Amino acid sequence: MALRIRRISPDATPSSQLSLETLARVLSPAIVAEVIDRCAAREKRARKLPASTVLLLCVAMNLYSNDCLAHVFFRLVSRMRWLLGDPDALRVSKGALCQARYRLGARPLVELFRRVCKPLATPSTPQAFLFGLRLMALDATVMDVADTPENVRAFGKRRAPRGESAWPQIRMVAISECSTHAVVEAGVWPHDFDERSAGMRLLRGVGDLGVLLLWDRGFHSFEMVKGALARGAHLLGRLPATVKPLQTRTLADGTKLVVLRRRRPPDEEELRTGEITSVTVRMIRYTLEDPNRPGHRIEHRLITSLLDPDLAPARQIVVAYHARWEFELAVDEIKTHQRQPQKPLRSERPVGVIQEAYGLLVAHYVVRAVMTDAARTVELPPGRLSFTNTLRIIREMVPEAQRTASADHPRLYRQLLSDVSWTPLPPRADRSNPRVVKRKMSKFRVKNPSHRAWPQPTKPFREAVVLLI
């Protein structure tokens, strides 16, 4: 049975008919309307670009990150405009789209992220849980943003012995689900913001999920351990070499119970209120006996709040800790495949940068939600499906969905899942790659603020030509 063509009321505002609800059903019109109302972003008069349309555009532009904003909008309406009496009714200038973005602001995108980006794995999802706890990873990355004076003032440039970075940078700290790569908590800060402080703020998102939270040694602090436990999460992290915990007991499997203490002594108020100044955790020491693996014969120390070796065997914990690298794969999907490598975010003002960053995360979540649903239909781990292939299929389907009758959207979505799961990836190879770059130094001078107002020609090229005869 062929798909039916959508019918649009003659009285409807054309651009208000845009929808991305066929994408994993996480961006339904009801959710978009709820976010707009909660952020008091609904317009007081009828606009050609209402807030709901602009909100979806901010997500869609991160699905088509290589296209200019005007062409992203054209992709969204290209099929639907022929259903209107006037196909030119949806023509919008680049300036109007830009103004609409900044009129909307960043808050609705932040609210949309917090509203829809939830864990995707279920108890039946392979490799999603350990000891009944959901595996999630905390880590950070930096992203280049447009080199404008406003962005430099807001986010700063990273300084190094050979000079400062080419672009201003934001630091994004996030928590992702290891099995599905779904980013469920995130914050955006200037590039030099302290990662540990940012990580502490994100712990709010793991309290009621039954989580085993993984983090690297750069995030370790007594406050992080205490904060995770206070929110009901379990933790698994690596100890820096400088931390020397007090060993109190050796368990039957050779692992040790140790006490972590805060560096500074408690003050009078903390003594009076009984503030916790020490925490008991389990320390696991291990090394790798494989000369072709990083960390060969180097001692690694992990700490965890899972204290019982019978319920949480040490070897399983060590293997689980390396699932933290799934966060790096999620970052690679966002920065390399969803966007072009080494390409800065397009927004030239800080509010646009934050809006774009959260739109990027929502768009990534949409792709990952589709992949999780598709993997469930063929009983495979989500990691066995291709992110790049899914993104390409979604890019082709979004315009098609705009002209399809809403009653047929479930059929369209089922076909999307079938297309995504049609060619699964082989099981991941047991491999290791060097952490190196292949890039030579440029022979050109480094761009600096003095080059912004470069002298421009005073006359056309033809008039500037002087023949030497």
Side-chain angles (χ1 to χ4, degrees):
M1 179 179 175
L3 293 174
R4 288 165 288 185
I5 300 297
R6 179 182 184 183
R7 293 183 180 274
I8 298 178
S9 170
D11 300 328
T13 304
S15 58
S16 67
Q17 301 302 302
L18 287 178
S19 171
L20 297 180
E21 63 177 324
T22 51
L23 294 183
R25 294 166 289 187
V26 297
L27 296 179
S28 68
I31 291 177
V32 171
E34 178 185 331
V35 169
I36 294 298
D37 290 337
R38 187 166 184 175
C39 297
R42 191 171 297 280
E43 56 281 342
K44 296 181 179 179
R45 61 183 177 87
R47 292 182 179 273
K48 195 171 185 178
L49 290 171
S52 58
T53 298
V54 180
L55 184 63
L56 294 177
L57 178 66
C58 290
V59 176
M61 76 181 196
N62 290 290
L63 292 173
Y64 305 97
S65 57
N66 297 333
D67 292 347
C68 68
L69 199 59
H71 193 65
V72 173
F73 185 78
F74 178 79
R75 281 181 181 269
L76 294 179
V77 303
S78 59
R79 306 287 198 278
M80 185 177 65
R81 65 181 186 143
W82 297 106
L83 307 179
L84 304 171
D86 181 10
D88 294 335
L90 286 174
R91 284 184 176 172
V92 180
S93 68
K94 175 183 176 181
L97 292 169
C98 185
Q99 290 178 11
R101 274 191 62 203
Y102 285 103
R103 184 171 62 244
L104 180 69
R107 186 184 170 198
L109 268 297
V110 178
E111 181 65 28
L112 182 66
F113 170 79
R114 292 176 177 170
R115 175 69 175 78
V116 305
C117 296
K118 306 297 182 182
L120 294 170
T122 65
S124 62
T125 303
Q127 305 165 6
F129 291 82
L130 181 70
F131 314 131
L133 300 171
R134 188 184 302 270
L135 290 175
M136 304 187 81
L138 168 69
D139 214 330
T141 186
V142 294
M143 293 184 181
D144 296 337
V145 302
D147 189 8
T148 63
E150 294 91 340
N151 286 344
V152 172
R153 286 194 296 270
F155 305 114
K157 290 187 174 184
R158 182 171 52 85
R159 297 188 178 277
R162 299 183 64 250
E164 62 182 16
S165 60
W167 308 93
Q169 292 180 322
I170 59 172
R171 183 169 297 278
M172 180 182 289
V173 182
I175 296 176
S176 72
E177 194 173 39
C178 293
S179 61
T180 66
H181 295 185
V183 178
V184 299
E185 274 290 344
V188 176
W189 289 275
H191 79 96
D192 56 355
F193 193 84
D194 180 56
E195 289 184 351
R196 294 175 184 173
S197 299
M200 284 287 295
R201 299 186 187 186
L202 298 188
L203 291 177
R204 61 176 180 259
V206 300
D208 300 323
L209 300 176
V211 167
L212 177 58
L213 185 62
L214 318 178
W215 65 61
D216 197 11
R217 56 188 170 186
F219 282 91
H220 173 79
S221 70
F222 173 81
E223 287 73 19
M224 278 289 292
V225 173
K226 176 184 170 184
L229 295 176
R231 287 164 177 80
H234 284 280
L235 63 99
L236 174 56
R238 187 177 173 188
L239 274 183
T242 56
V243 176
K244 308 295 183 184
L246 175 65
Q247 299 184 14
T248 61
R249 179 184 167 194
T250 301
L251 301 177
D253 64 344
T255 60
K256 302 180 185 299
L257 295 183
V258 299
V259 174
L260 299 176
R261 299 185 184 277
R262 190 167 49 195
R263 290 186 177 182
R264 65 174 179 84
D267 56 30
E268 294 183 2
E269 178 66 18
E270 291 168 340
L271 290 174
R272 184 180 65 81
T273 59
E275 182 77 13
I276 297 176
T277 58
S278 64
V279 174
T280 298
V281 294
R282 179 179 169 204
M283 184 174 71
I284 302 171
R285 299 166 59 242
Y286 74 97
T287 188
L288 300 177
E289 189 55 47
D290 184 345
N292 292 334
R293 288 186 178 274
H296 170 60
R297 292 187 177 176
I298 297 175
E299 180 180 329
H300 307 272
R301 299 183 302 164
L302 302 180
I303 58 168
T304 180
S305 56
L306 302 172
L307 306 183
D308 190 335
D310 294 327
L311 299 179
R315 187 175 295 274
Q316 285 185 253
I317 290 178
V318 171
V319 173
Y321 175 73
H322 287 263
R324 186 186 63 81
W325 283 97
E326 298 295 330
F327 183 95
E328 302 294 341
L329 296 180
V331 169
D332 177 68
E333 292 166 358
I334 294 171
K335 296 172 67 173
T336 303
H337 303 290
Q338 192 175 338
R339 298 180 45 76
Q340 283 186 344
Q342 303 176 13
K343 180 181 179 181
L345 299 183
R346 68 180 86 196
S347 303
E348 297 184 353
R349 286 185 269 174
V351 64
V353 169
I354 296 173
Q355 180 194 75
E356 185 176 355
Y358 278 97
L360 185 65
L361 292 175
V362 173
H364 176 264
Y365 181 87
V366 166
V367 178
R368 271 291 162 183
V370 171
M371 294 175 65
T372 302
D373 284 351
R376 196 172 291 128
T377 64
V378 290
E379 299 182 349
L380 285 175
R384 288 286 305 277
L385 300 182
S386 168
F387 178 87
T388 304
N389 182 57
T390 304
L391 180 60
R392 289 170 179 162
I393 294 173
I394 287 175
R395 285 170 175 169
E396 296 298 327
M397 196 211 70
V398 167
E400 189 65 36
Q402 303 305 319
R403 71 174 177 185
T404 302
S406 58
D408 285 341
H409 282 181
R411 287 181 57 203
L412 203 62
Y413 188 64
R414 288 195 297 270
Q415 186 60 47
L416 172 65
L417 300 185
S418 177
D419 292 340
V420 169
S421 62
W422 177 248
T423 53
L425 299 173
R428 188 179 297 172
D430 190 15
R431 62 186 179 185
S432 176
N433 294 304
R435 301 186 74 177
V436 295
V437 295
K438 187 175 181 180
R439 184 190 310 161
K440 76 177 185 67
M441 300 304 298
S442 174
K443 65 179 180 180
F444 298 103
R445 295 173 57 193
V446 176
K447 185 177 181 180
N448 59 57
S450 67
H451 297 122
R452 295 186 187 278
W454 195 250
Q456 298 300 305
T458 58
K459 60 183 69 174
F461 179 78
R462 178 179 290 274
E463 296 179 12
V465 173
V466 177
L467 296 178
L468 301 178
I469 54 177

